[in-house]
Amino acid sequence: MRRVVEVLFRAACPDCRAGFELRPGALRLAIGASSRTTFYSFTCPECGSAVRKPAGERIVELLTGGGVRTLRLHSTL
């Protein structure tokens, strides 16, 4: 029998400074054309603030591997 382990991500709110764990469904990852347009976001469960943080290669790898829903941003020329 296979054991299913739920993935939790540690995060912190820059507004209220609370630390907490989030399930993959509570996070969103946006991958843009550059590091400036690649970020993850979530709503702080403590204060309700919308939080947006930059996501480097390692963060992108961890979030996508953990099942976080990903949005690919396309530039329009």
Side-chain angles (χ1 to χ4, degrees):
M1 188 171 160
R2 244 178 115 189
R3 246 178 99 204
V4 176
V5 177
E6 183 176 31
V7 176
L8 293 174
F9 295 98
R10 287 189 180 169
C13 177
D15 290 339
C16 72
R17 304 215 185 276
F20 39 82
E21 292 181 336
L22 296 170
R23 291 189 164 100
L27 293 148
R28 297 291 175 263
L29 173 64
I31 299 176
S34 71
S35 60
R36 289 185 56 193
T37 57
T38 300
F39 61 90
Y40 66 99
S41 61
F42 58 89
T43 300
C44 175
E46 298 295 321
C47 71
S49 289
V51 179
R52 178 175 160 165
K53 294 188 175 188
E57 279 186 43
R58 181 72 179 134
I59 298 294
V60 169
E61 191 178 300
L62 290 170
L63 294 176
T64 56
V68 172
R69 196 165 77 192
T70 302
L71 172 66
R72 296 209 179 262
L73 304 175
H74 297 283
S75 62
T76 54
L77 296 175

